[in-house]
Amino acid sequence: MNTANAWRADFPALSQEINGQPLTYLDSAASAQQPQAVIDAVARYQREDHANVHRGVHTLSHRATDLYEGARDKLAKFINAGSRSELVLTSGTTESINLVAQSYCRPLLQLGDQVLITWLEHHSNIVPWQLVCEQTGAELIVAPINDDGDVLLDELFDLMGERVRMLAIGHVSNALGTVNPLDKIIQQAREKGIPVLVDGAQGVPHMPVDVAALDCDFYAFSGHKMFGPTGTGVLWGREALLEQMPPYKGGGDMILEVSFDNTVFNELPYKFEAGTPNISGTIGLGAAVDYLQNIGMQRIHEHESALHSYMVEKLSAVDGIRRVGQATSQASVQSFMLDDIHPHDLGTILDHQGVAIRTGHHCAMPVMQSFGLPGTARASLGLYNQPEDVDRLVAALEKAKQIFA
Ligand code: C6P
């Protein structure tokens, strides 16, 4: 068995048939499948260790707390966080970005201030900023992209004026696969004193991420895109910034002391984690980190890069394919149109052949608008995909062409 085949065998969902055909799963950008190790870790916790965390003196509560906090330690190490205090557990990228918009930016923004994003962003990295701008009178400004799907760096740098209080930018575009040159972008922002939030939802599952080397201020990501359970995620932030931020939600666990006169908030990171958290999901996410680290993120990155090149080559050879997004550097994702077939029709015909892709606007409507399209078909890769998956995609596209001819 080759390496990718061995990895694939770790994911039980991938061995089933869909509509009488072997499943070809090319929708990991929407949500990745989970390896047996993650499924087992969650089931073991539910079966043997379940209790609330941080609250009980009894054995099960200690066990649950150790497993939950152990996952935080694994995640902190995985992205090279300076300390576990900087690792806030959230429900996903969306919550992480909203937390920064409301807790970091809202108290800071004033009429005339600006928040800078790009045309490439997912709605989760647009709407929270629109909301906070409306609340404060600040202005949302947007750096343009070109026809290949690259952010125009000169324009982005020109927009980094002295009124900009935050740059929020994706690591990898979910719609086009563009990998932004974060090193150059963050360096420019640093020189101008602009804090940077990176939406890492599509970065973390596919490449090594080191927040210290990136030198950003916040990095947000989701558990379910990195082979963990849904409803889990992370906000990493610089300790000095997190310290100065007020809590985002109030409730149990985020306090040290409550009275009607005065409430004392808990220390980092618990100040931001009100209420009973997603304990089982986070424990599963810890198991996903173990799984990824056992393979090695660099190996995963190399495997996926080679597969992405293969996918681009094979798709480009299909008559009638238009690749949407041909950025200088791409990862894991390729959007496309086939002749004038509506992406939803294409997705349905592919599903009949066991091929799962995503179709539509991919929660990135401005990207679609910039290409003058209502949506695209999108194939996205995970570590378990192999050249045979791409071959099946191409065969299914050829069949769709025959059907529509
Ligand atoms: N993109 C896709 O099919 P949540 O829903 O919070 O886990 O992740 C939101 C999110 C934020 N940023 C980027 C770059 C993303 O890709 C996503 C989720 C999925 O592309 C579902 S819309």
Side-chain angles (χ1 to χ4, degrees), residues 87-305:
L87 211 294
V88 181
L89 294 166
T90 66
S91 64
T93 309
T94 304
E95 192 191 13
S96 300
I97 297 173
N98 276 280
L99 195 166
V100 176
Q102 288 301 317
S103 175
Y104 177 75
C105 281
R106 193 170 175 179
L108 178 112
L109 289 176
Q110 293 181 351
L111 191 69
D113 284 345
Q114 294 176 325
V115 173
L116 174 58
I117 60 171
T118 82
W119 269 79
L120 270 186
E121 304 314 317
H122 183 278
H123 297 164
S124 291
N125 202 25
I126 300 175
V127 184
W129 306 113
Q130 287 177 324
L131 290 173
V132 76
C133 284
E134 263 170 38
Q135 288 156 348
T136 58
E139 182 193 5
L140 187 65
I141 54 172
V142 189
I145 57 175
N146 64 19
D147 291 345
D148 290 333
D150 280 310
V151 174
L152 295 173
L153 290 185
D154 287 342
E155 275 81 346
L156 176 68
F157 297 158
D158 283 348
L159 286 170
M160 291 183 186
E162 52 187 36
R163 291 189 292 146
V164 176
R165 300 282 169 260
M166 170 64 75
L167 165 65
I169 184 161
H171 195 161
V172 177
S173 154
N174 70 312
L176 305 180
T178 310
V179 184
N180 281 316
L182 287 183
D183 45 351
K184 280 192 205 151
I185 293 171
I186 293 171
Q187 191 196 341
Q188 278 286 323
R190 278 257 153 278
E191 281 171 18
K192 297 181 176 178
I194 300 170
V196 182
L197 173 140
V198 178
D199 170 353
Q202 304 290 351
V204 164
H206 306 292
M207 58 195 69
V209 169
D210 178 331
V211 290
L214 272 178
D215 202 22
C216 56
D217 297 280
F218 299 101
Y219 193 98
F221 56 102
S222 298
H224 70 105
K225 295 189 199 292
M226 52 181 285
F227 317 99
T230 51
T232 62
V234 168
L235 172 68
W236 169 82
R238 280 183 199 281
E239 195 159 348
L241 297 183
L242 293 175
E243 282 292 1
Q244 81 188 41
M245 288 158 55
Y248 161 62
K249 297 185 289 192
D253 223 24
M254 50 74 74
I255 49 81
L256 289 177
E257 209 180 295
V258 177
S259 75
F260 291 119
D261 300 325
N262 187 34
T263 290
V264 181
F265 302 131
N266 206 340
E267 61 192 21
L268 287 178
Y270 308 108
K271 179 172 84 171
F272 295 110
E273 297 179 6
T276 300
N278 184 347
I279 305 169
S280 62
T282 302
I283 290 168
L285 182 53
V289 169
D290 288 340
Y291 180 81
L292 289 171
Q293 279 185 325
N294 278 340
I295 296 177
M297 289 311 298
Q298 189 54 35
R299 270 176 91 196
I300 292 169
H301 180 54
E302 283 161 18
H303 165 70
E304 282 189 23
S305 299

Side-chain angles (χ1 to χ4, degrees), residues 6 10 34 36 79 133 207 263 339 381 404:
D10 294 332
Q34 294 171 27
Q36 188 66 50
I79 58 165
C133 284
M207 58 195 69
T263 290
D339 296 326
L381 304 170
F404 278 93

